[in-house]
Amino acid sequence: MEKLLDMFSKENRKKTAEVLVYLAITLELFFMVLEKSEVSIPYISHVFRVTFLFTLAAVLLMEHNKKEWIAIALVTVFTFVCYRITGRNELLRFSYYVFALRDIDLKKIMKYYFYFSAIGFAVIVLLSVTGILGDVAIITDYGREIEDEKRYVFGFGHPNTLAGCVYALELLWIWLYGKKAKLYQYVIAFAAIWGTYKLTSSRTSVMIFMGTLAIAFIVRYIPVLGKLRFPYILTSLVTPVAAVAFSVWAAAVSEIPRFHMDTDYQIKLTRFDDMLNNRIQNLYRGSERHGGALISWKLFSDNLSEEMFDMGWVRIFYWYGIIPGALIVILTFVFIYLCLKRRDAWTLILILSLGVYTVIEATFVSRYIGRNMLLPILAVYLGDFILHRGERNDSEQN
């Protein structure tokens, strides 16, 4: 009996919860990397159920005060209702992932994300160039008025996927090392982005990549900017306000491009959509149900709304519903506020960059938790805020 009680001591429960959390993280990262390759993953929903059970068990083993239990109960009820209505369990899984990572060593887990992803992506490239798995390059019509366009993929299946993986690594590098990186290291990071552009021709994406690194470079050498309120206010206006407003507008006008050319506005809209590789019109024309167009949005989505398209913020509102989408927007504001309290400009850079990137790409709007490197940061910052236990300065560089 005494041994049984020892098993449930506070210290043992804490250690067990941490083991479960790392098991969940490792599985999520592994299958995130695997999904980026050309390997098909059968029974992935069962894997997600396992990782969810790990995080659920970890949350139950952790110590919580009354305020936390109320928050957990409310979020659980809401996300479970969303799951029952839409058939998508991502919001429930993601919320418990955040609950479970509350006490994690943030610097350690972000390094784990970075090196696990880097090694995994390198393996995909290696398998491709050695001819074992995946194409090195694909020549096809990418919908950019070039019939036979050669773009490199290095085993990732699509050039934009390759570019997105480089982008994710750059963001993790900025958060981990950007604050103390030397000039030559920033030059190497810029060269990596430029090289990615030359290989993949992902034009719109590379502009965001370059802009993100430029902002990080400025903050690195003018650190006082991170202490001011202005960058946090500006980020709030850009992400999510402007990003969401643009996405709503795109969903509303998605029927017009190419098929309505009667006014100057319609002609200019078509030209603008051409610059975005038809992302706007695909919201309406990409499926029979016009998945993504504003007319298809509901307060809560349904289990038929599974169409895939590029615009990420639109996908959030279409896949999950207007009410869940609005709550995600509010959570983004809360996240920015927590960064302001800590004067954490480096996490702010990631929020800004991902918010803008998600306007045109849906890479990070996915059922794969491992794609979103902001979740561990959000988990720790929310935990510290709710528990009033002080601010662990995990974004400081060694």
Side-chain angles (χ1 to χ4, degrees):
M1 185 65 179
E2 186 175 341
K3 290 183 178 180
L4 184 63
L5 291 174
D6 287 341
M7 289 176 59
F8 290 96
S9 67
K10 182 177 180 179
E11 187 62 28
N12 283 340
R13 283 189 286 117
K14 182 178 179 180
K15 290 179 180 179
T16 304
E18 185 174 1
V19 170
L20 291 170
V21 165
Y22 267 94
L23 284 173
I25 292 170
T26 301
L27 281 174
E28 290 287 355
L29 288 175
F30 175 78
F31 283 98
M32 177 274 293
V33 171
L34 192 63
E35 187 268 341
K36 295 292 187 181
S37 72
E38 296 185 28
V39 176
S40 60
I41 310 175
Y43 309 115
I44 188 62
S45 60
H46 297 294
V47 175
F48 291 150
R49 290 189 183 100
V50 171
T51 58
F52 171 71
L53 289 175
F54 284 156
T55 55
L56 172 62
V59 170
L60 294 176
L61 288 170
M62 294 163 61
E63 292 286 329
H64 303 285
N65 62 22
K66 184 178 180 180
K67 185 187 297 185
E68 277 191 298
W69 280 121
I70 293 173
I72 290 171
L74 291 175
V75 172
T76 300
V77 170
F78 177 78
T79 54
F80 183 76
V81 169
C82 290
Y83 163 59
R84 296 300 298 171
I85 294 175
T86 67
R88 309 189 71 93
N89 61 12
E90 288 97 292
L91 297 180
L92 180 62
R93 290 173 47 235
F94 277 51
S95 61
Y96 268 84
Y97 190 79
V98 170
F99 294 149
L101 267 63
R102 183 197 67 186
D103 299 327
I104 204 78
D105 183 324
L106 190 50
K107 177 65 70 63
K108 181 179 177 181
I109 200 62
M110 293 298 280
K111 285 184 176 180
Y112 192 63
Y113 263 64
F114 178 71
Y115 290 107
F116 194 109
S117 300
I119 293 170
F121 296 156
V123 170
I124 293 175
V125 173
L126 180 62
L127 291 175
S128 172
V129 298
T130 55
I132 297 174
L133 177 67
D135 297 311
V136 173
I138 297 177
I139 301 175
T140 188
D141 183 355
Y142 289 94
R144 306 198 305 182
E145 299 182 356
I146 303 175
E147 289 187 4
D148 294 318
E149 184 179 8
K150 181 179 181 180
R151 299 170 69 184
Y152 287 87
V153 297
F154 289 111
F156 287 89
H158 194 282
N160 288 348
T161 304
L162 171 59
C165 291
V166 175
Y167 174 54
L169 292 177
E170 292 267 2
L171 290 181
L172 286 165
W173 179 83
I174 286 171
W175 194 91
L176 286 167
Y177 305 112
K179 186 172 185 178
K180 293 191 176 180
K182 306 297 183 183
L183 176 60
Y184 78 89
Q185 292 173 311
Y186 272 99
V187 171
I188 293 173
F190 272 108
I193 293 175
W194 181 251
T196 300
Y197 165 65
K198 298 300 289 184
L199 291 169
T200 64
S201 298
S202 297
R203 294 170 297 195
T204 308
S205 299
V206 81
M207 294 173 60
I208 298 173
F209 301 174
M210 287 290 190
T212 302
L213 203 56
I215 293 172
F217 181 79
I218 292 170
V219 174
R220 161 67 178 89
Y221 287 98
I222 313 178
V224 68
L225 290 174
K227 307 298 181 183
L228 304 176
R229 287 179 172 268
F230 173 72
Y232 302 89
I233 296 172
L234 181 61
T235 298
S236 296
L237 295 175
V238 174
T239 303
V241 174
V244 172
F246 177 85
S247 299
V248 172
W249 169 79
V253 303
S254 57
E255 183 184 2
I256 295 175
R258 290 187 180 274
F259 290 86
H260 300 276
M261 305 279 283
D262 301 323
T263 66
D264 287 342
Y265 169 72
Q266 292 172 344
I267 293 171
K268 290 178 181 178
L269 178 56
T270 296
R271 291 174 181 169
F272 178 67
D273 192 34
D274 287 341
M275 294 171 58
L276 295 178
N277 294 329
N278 301 318
R279 281 175 168 84
I280 294 178
Q281 72 154 329
N282 284 341
L283 297 176
Y284 187 88
R285 309 286 175 184
S287 65
E288 293 183 1
R289 299 182 71 245
H290 310 305
L294 193 63
I295 58 173
S296 68
W297 292 17
K298 304 178 180 68
L299 292 180
F300 289 91
S301 189
D302 55 54
N303 56 14
L304 297 177
S305 301
E306 296 183 346
E307 285 81 5
M308 306 286 284
F309 42 81
D310 288 329
M311 300 189 70
W313 281 105
V314 176
R315 186 184 288 188
I316 288 174
F317 286 95
Y318 176 67
W319 271 8
Y320 306 115
I322 295 172
I323 292 176
L327 291 176
I328 290 171
V329 170
I330 293 171
L331 183 60
T332 305
F333 279 118
V334 171
F335 200 0
I336 294 171
Y337 170 73
L338 296 176
C339 291
L340 171 62
K341 282 178 61 67
R342 293 167 174 265
R343 295 301 191 269
D344 179 5
W346 297 95
T347 299
L348 187 74
I349 291 171
L350 268 60
I351 295 173
L352 174 63
S353 182
L354 283 171
V356 174
Y357 183 75
T358 301
V359 171
I360 61 169
E361 294 286 356
T363 301
F364 298 94
V365 183
S366 167
R367 56 182 180 166
Y368 290 89
I369 292 178
R371 290 190 185 186
N372 195 334
M373 75 286 290
L374 286 174
L375 292 179
I377 309 174
L378 176 64
V380 171
Y381 285 12
L382 278 176
D384 288 349
F385 179 71
I386 293 174
L387 295 177
H388 305 290
R389 61 185 178 188
E391 297 168 357
R392 292 177 286 162
N393 202 1
D394 293 290
S395 66
E396 291 293 325
Q397 309 303 305
N398 292 325

